[in-house]
């Protein structure tokens, strides 16, 4: 069922009335005249599904049909478009989207986990049933990342895609750098301010950013990317000392999601990275996100803004609804299903780069010689070294040692770190962070 433009209202069924769901209803009411003019027809919410009918959500829900089971929205003959704002890769969210597409009803969703994990299967049904599946709000909130990559750069061959894709991590790293506070303290403060969830693991362990990168990479390269092919690291191991040392070296630390297409295949990873402090992406602080794309013809561009919240996300959801009201139907990955090819994942070990390595070692003669010997044997060349003043504890002096390498292979660096970690003079687990200069 494809919805074409007409003067009759586009009737919406919304599943999920949390912050974003209520935000969509509020936006549709507040900007009704503007949205009607741009869509060519009114957009009306006619039905909703949520767990608690008694909760005050700050919007007028009178006159709307309620469904306890979200999937029942699909069989409502007055619902033209299903808006899925439940979240999560499984359960009612997945069942609702699958049922709506199978019935030929267009779907708008903000569900990054669902698309990252089940996107290929959903895209296939979308194509078979000519049912639009739009998801601007799934990546970077109000930043028009999906439209920029899939439509604005449609004529170009993209070489890489990624950026700062999680506001919680960016906020934590920003505050740690500015205040010198440790990770645990800043995380607790972020939870009190509502910037981090009570269970923050999806954010701080990199999974949220990985979901978004999987979607962006699929759009950038015109083919679905397997979520389990993305290498994922979070920020738990980053200490205040790392941010301080990075500053002394002329860098800032950011959690980046990056995907590159090379001769060996697709390299996709979410990892903390050192970036030059004068780089544009280094200036993106706090809860802001940034998406960077590089095309063979367009060159490099960066767009930034708030990556979450009721207002930005509701704006992105409504932009998709306007597209559907106009009759726009863009294939999920930006190319026709018949033209989609598979992509070979490139193992992380095949990558190359420069690296920052922080160690805590015993402060005695011969330590540096032992460590540099390991690096030499692994084929890793040093570019610079920092050796701050030793720190004393109750039993023995220890000193942090910071090493920066020249370009080397990821495999060689991992081998070197494993060997260094096994040295008796190394008293804590090494911290290795990739350096991104391009």
């Amino acid at each position: 069922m494809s919805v074409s433009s007409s003067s009759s209202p586009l009737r919406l069924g919304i599943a999920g009335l949390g912050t974003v769901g209520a935000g969509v209803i509020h936006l549709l009411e507040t900007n009704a005249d503007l949205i009607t003019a741009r869509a060519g027809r009114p957009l009306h919410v006619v039905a909703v599904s949520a767990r608690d009918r008694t909760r005050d959500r700050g919007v007028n829900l009178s006159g709307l049909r309620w469904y306890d089971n979200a999937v029942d929205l699909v069989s409502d003959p007055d619902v033209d478009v299903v808006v899925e704002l439940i979240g999560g890769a499984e359960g009612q969210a997945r069942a609702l989207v699958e049922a709506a597409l199978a019935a030929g009803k267009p779907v708008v969703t903000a569900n990054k986990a669902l698309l990252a994990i089940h996107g290929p299967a959903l895209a296939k049904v979308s194509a078979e049933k000519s049912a639009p599946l739009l998801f601007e709000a799934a990546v970077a909130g109000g930043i028009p990342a999906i439209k920029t990559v899939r439509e604005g750069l449609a004529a170009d061959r993209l070489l890489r895609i990624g950026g700062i894709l999680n506001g919680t991590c960016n906020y934590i790293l920003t505050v740690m750098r500015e205040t010198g506070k440790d990770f645990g303290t800043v995380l607790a403060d972020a939870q009190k301010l509502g910037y981090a969830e009570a269970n923050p693991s999806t954010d701080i362990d990199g999974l949220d950013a990985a979901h978004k990168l999987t979607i962006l990479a699929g759009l950038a390269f015109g083919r679905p990317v397997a979520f389990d092919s993305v290498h994922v690291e979070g920020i738990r191991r980053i200490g205040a000392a790392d941010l301080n040392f990075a500053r002394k070296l002329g860098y800032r630390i950011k959690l980046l999601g990056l995907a590159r297409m090379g001769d060996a295949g697709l390299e996709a990873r979410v990892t903390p990275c050192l970036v030059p402090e004068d780089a544009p992406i280094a200036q993106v602080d706090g809860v802001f996100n940034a998406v960077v794309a590089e095309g063979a013809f367009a060159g490099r561009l960066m767009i930034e803004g708030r990556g979450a919240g009721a207002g930005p996300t509701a704006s992105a959801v409504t932009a998709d609804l306007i597209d559907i009201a106009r009759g726009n139907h863009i294939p999920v990955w930006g190319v026709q299903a018949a033209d989609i090819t598979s992509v070979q994942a490139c193992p992380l070990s095949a990558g190359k780069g420069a690296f920052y390595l922080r160690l805590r070692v015993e402060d005695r003669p011969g330590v540096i010689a032992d460590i540099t010997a390991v690096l030499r044997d692994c084929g890793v060349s040093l570019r610079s070294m920092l050796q701050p003043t030793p720190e004393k504890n109750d039993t023995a002096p220890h000193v942090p040692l910071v090493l920066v390498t020249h370009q080397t292979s990821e495999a060689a660096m991992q081998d070197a770190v494993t060997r260094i970690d096994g040295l008796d003079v190394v008293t804590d687990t090494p911290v290795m962070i990739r350096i991104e200069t391009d």
Side-chain angles (χ1 to χ4, degrees):
M1 171 183 171
S2 178
V3 178
S4 59
S5 242
S6 72
S7 58
S8 61
L10 185 69
R11 301 167 298 179
L12 315 175
I14 298 180
L17 291 177
T19 300
V20 176
V24 170
I25 293 174
H26 177 67
L27 177 60
L28 289 171
E29 292 176 349
T30 302
N31 288 352
D33 291 346
L34 180 149
I35 291 168
T36 298
R38 293 179 176 174
R41 58 197 297 196
L43 273 58
H44 290 169
V45 180
V46 298
V48 294
S49 176
R51 286 179 295 183
D52 184 357
R53 298 193 181 206
T54 63
R55 178 182 163 195
D56 181 8
R57 295 172 171 84
V59 292
N60 183 13
L61 302 174
S62 62
L64 302 181
R65 288 188 293 283
W66 278 78
Y67 292 97
D68 294 320
N69 185 343
V71 179
D72 290 340
L73 286 169
V74 176
S75 57
D76 187 325
D78 291 332
V79 171
D80 299 317
V81 179
V82 170
V83 182
E84 185 276 304
L85 301 173
I86 301 170
E90 306 299 336
Q92 282 208 339
R94 180 183 178 185
L96 171 63
V97 173
E98 289 177 340
L101 294 175
K105 288 194 174 184
V107 173
V108 171
T109 179
N111 194 332
K112 51 193 170 286
L114 178 69
L115 290 161
I117 296 171
H118 301 296
L122 296 175
K124 182 179 179 182
V125 179
S126 171
E128 290 172 348
K129 297 294 184 178
S130 296
L133 172 60
L134 300 183
F135 45 92
E136 183 63 60
V139 176
I143 303 174
I146 304 299
K147 290 183 184 296
T148 297
V149 174
R150 186 171 58 185
E151 299 167 47
L153 297 172
D156 206 351
R157 184 177 298 278
L158 295 192
L159 307 175
R160 62 184 230 155
I161 189 76
I164 296 172
L165 304 177
N166 183 271
T168 298
C169 288
N170 203 38
Y171 173 83
I172 290 171
L173 292 173
T174 298
V175 175
M176 288 175 67
R177 186 189 77 238
E178 292 176 345
T179 66
K181 294 179 180 178
D182 62 32
F183 172 79
T185 299
V186 177
L187 171 60
D189 290 344
Q191 289 171 315
K192 292 175 185 176
L193 293 169
Y195 293 147
E197 301 289 343
N199 180 357
S201 59
T202 299
D203 290 317
I204 64 175
D205 290 330
L207 291 173
D208 176 79
H211 289 145
K212 297 169 185 176
L213 181 65
T214 301
I215 297 168
L216 285 175
L219 295 170
F221 306 120
R223 62 198 80 174
V225 172
F227 178 69
D228 59 8
S229 70
V230 179
H231 175 81
V232 185
E233 296 178 30
I235 64 170
R236 290 182 192 265
R237 62 192 176 91
I238 305 300
D242 295 306
L243 291 144
N244 183 44
F245 291 140
R247 179 184 56 78
K248 291 180 179 179
L249 292 165
Y251 295 99
R252 291 184 177 180
I253 298 177
K254 298 291 183 181
L255 182 73
L256 299 182
L258 294 171
R260 298 184 179 94
M261 185 67 76
D263 294 337
L266 174 68
E267 176 193 349
R269 55 186 172 81
V270 172
T271 58
C273 296
L274 270 71
V275 295
E277 59 187 359
D278 60 352
I281 202 162
Q283 312 306 313
V284 180
D285 282 336
V287 296
F288 280 70
N289 284 193
V291 175
V292 178
E294 183 175 348
F297 282 79
R300 186 173 302 183
L301 62 88
M302 185 180 87
I303 49 178
E304 67 171 291
R306 293 190 177 276
T313 309
S315 175
V317 168
T318 306
D320 279 345
L321 291 170
I322 290 172
D323 269 346
I324 291 174
R326 291 170 174 162
N328 295 345
H329 184 177
I330 300 169
V332 170
W333 305 118
V335 297
Q336 297 301 322
D339 296 322
I340 291 177
T341 58
S342 61
V343 58
Q344 176 67 40
C346 176
L348 187 72
S349 59
K352 293 184 179 295
F355 295 87
Y356 158 103
L357 180 63
R358 176 173 60 83
L359 308 171
R360 181 176 293 277
V361 300
E362 294 181 5
D363 186 28
R364 59 178 175 81
V367 170
I368 293 177
D370 291 344
I371 292 168
T372 55
V374 172
L375 294 171
R376 178 201 62 212
D377 293 344
C378 294
V380 177
S381 174
L382 278 182
R383 190 179 80 193
S384 63
M385 179 175 66
L386 284 178
Q387 190 175 14
T389 304
E391 297 176 3
K392 302 269 186 176
N393 61 22
D394 293 337
T395 58
H398 295 82
V399 62
L401 182 64
V402 175
L403 309 174
V404 177
T405 77
H406 287 290
Q407 287 277 324
T408 187
S409 73
E410 183 98 26
M413 195 65 197
Q414 291 286 1
D415 183 24
V417 170
T418 299
R419 296 191 194 187
I420 289 171
D421 192 25
L423 296 175
D424 291 340
V425 296
V426 176
T427 61
D428 205 351
T429 303
V431 172
M432 184 184 82
I433 307 176
R434 192 178 180 118
I435 299 173
E436 284 290 336
T437 57
D438 61 349

